[in-house]
């Protein structure tokens, strides 16, 4: 029996016990596994006056699946702790006709839960400070602007528990933002998505927001043919749409 490859992975602290539970619920001729997933979203709103307080919500769940020939049974429970896994395994075993042996499991100590909450709060404060600095640098002079901005930092962590081992599927992160910038000369909208680490994603967001806040020219374009200069990314999109799609047609 193997423990999780990342011993400090937040979903694998009870790796040995979790593997034992999943293995114990299966009868001869059955296969199955359990899945743990946690999704955390930190969201901020901002306007030309500054950054507002963040909000954080979390979604977490545990699912157990048992397969026998062409039949499949799926049971899900909220939470990713040992209790959620035990409830899901107990229900799956009851519905499938099995009776796994359950051993008493000691709950996490209050100090451990308190330390986890403190670490999360410190992380939110750091994220807020970095975002505030990014927005201040992107729009140093908000006079004449009306800005509506929503930013979300999304983290997903998954682990799969088989009858032999608990495997960390790693984590994924992304920064999402939508904004509307209004000035007398016109309105610009911004949609942003990046899977880079938080600080690097903020750099990209700051550049995009600075571009969106740049004054829009009120001089009409000249008549007739004109030369157009595209950035590398814009040129790739244009070439894909104008040439790539026609080449795909019969």
């Amino acid at each position: 029996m193997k423990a999780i490859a990342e011993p400090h992975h937040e979903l694998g602290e009870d790796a040995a016990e979790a593997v034992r539970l999943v293995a114990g619920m299966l009868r001869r001729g059955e296969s199955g596994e359990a899945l743990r997933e946690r999704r955390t979203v930190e969201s901020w709103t901002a306007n030309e006056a500054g950054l507002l307080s963040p909000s954080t919500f979390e979604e977490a769940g545990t699912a157990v699946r048992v397969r026998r020939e062409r039949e499949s049974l799926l049971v899900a429970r909220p939470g990713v702790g040992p209790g959620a896994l035990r409830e899901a395994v107990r229900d799956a075993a009851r519905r499938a006709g099995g009776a796994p042996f359950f051993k008493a499991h000691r709950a996490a100590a209050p100090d451990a839960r308190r330390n986890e909450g403190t670490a999360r709060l410190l992380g939110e404060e750091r994220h807020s400070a970095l975002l505030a600095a990014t927005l201040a640098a992107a729009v140093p002079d908000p006079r004449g602007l009306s800005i509506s901005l929503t930013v979300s930092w999304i983290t997903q962590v998954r682990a799969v528990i088989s009858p032999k081992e608990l495997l960390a599927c790693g984590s994924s992160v992304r920064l999402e933002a939508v904004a509307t910038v209004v000035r007398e000369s016109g309105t610009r909208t911004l949609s942003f998505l990046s899977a880079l680490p938080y600080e690097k994603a903020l750099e990209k967001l700051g550049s995009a927001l600075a571009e969106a806040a740049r004054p829009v020219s009120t001089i009409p374009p000249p008549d007739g043919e004109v030369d157009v200069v595209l950035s590398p990314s814009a040129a790739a999109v244009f070439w894909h749409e104008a040439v790539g799609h026609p080449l795909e047609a019969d």
Side-chain angles (χ1 to χ4, degrees):
M1 180 182 298
K2 297 181 180 179
I4 193 167
E6 301 176 35
H8 301 296
H9 190 280
E10 61 177 301
L11 302 186
E13 295 178 356
D14 62 332
E17 173 74 4
V19 170
R20 189 185 69 83
L21 286 174
V22 172
M25 78 174 178
L26 300 175
R27 299 176 298 175
R28 181 173 299 179
E30 293 179 344
S31 62
E33 66 280 322
L35 171 67
R36 286 172 168 170
E37 180 174 345
R38 172 181 284 145
R39 180 174 180 263
T40 306
V41 181
E42 299 175 52
S43 295
W44 298 263
T45 57
N47 54 35
E48 61 276 8
L51 184 67
L52 304 182
S53 299
S55 62
T56 302
F57 72 90
E58 180 179 282
E59 298 174 321
T62 299
V64 169
R65 180 168 58 183
V66 179
R67 293 183 297 272
R68 186 178 183 87
E69 296 180 351
R70 296 185 178 181
E71 296 182 347
S72 178
L73 172 65
L74 181 66
V75 177
R77 290 291 182 272
V80 291
L85 177 61
R86 291 168 66 82
E87 289 182 11
V89 168
R90 181 182 290 112
D91 194 9
R94 178 182 60 81
R95 297 188 187 189
F101 171 73
F102 287 95
K103 180 181 177 182
H105 188 83
R106 185 171 57 187
D111 288 343
R113 292 194 293 268
R114 188 181 303 113
N115 292 338
E116 180 182 350
T118 301
R120 180 170 297 178
L121 180 60
L122 293 175
E124 292 173 0
E125 292 177 351
R126 176 177 176 273
H127 286 171
S128 296
L130 291 172
L131 178 58
T134 297
L135 300 182
V139 189
D141 185 5
R143 289 177 297 179
L145 293 175
S146 175
I147 301 176
S148 175
L149 173 67
T150 300
V151 180
S152 298
W153 176 246
I154 303 171
T155 305
Q156 288 182 287
V157 184
R158 298 183 181 93
V160 175
I161 309 167
S162 76
K164 295 183 178 181
E165 57 186 336
L166 194 156
L167 300 172
C169 300
S171 62
S172 62
V173 296
R174 66 181 187 271
L175 186 71
E176 297 180 356
V178 291
T180 301
V181 181
V182 181
R183 62 168 66 241
E184 186 177 355
S185 58
T187 300
R188 285 183 171 178
T189 59
L190 168 68
S191 294
F192 178 87
L193 174 64
S194 175
L196 293 172
Y198 187 74
E199 294 187 35
K200 292 186 178 297
L202 281 185
E203 293 179 7
K204 301 292 185 181
L205 175 60
S207 299
L209 186 59
E211 178 63 23
R214 185 175 55 84
V216 179
S217 175
T218 57
I219 302 175
D223 295 332
E225 295 183 359
V226 295
D227 293 329
V228 177
V229 179
L230 300 176
S231 68
S233 56
V237 173
F238 175 80
W239 189 262
H240 170 80
E241 299 296 339
V243 180
H245 285 301
L247 289 175
E248 294 173 348
D250 286 337

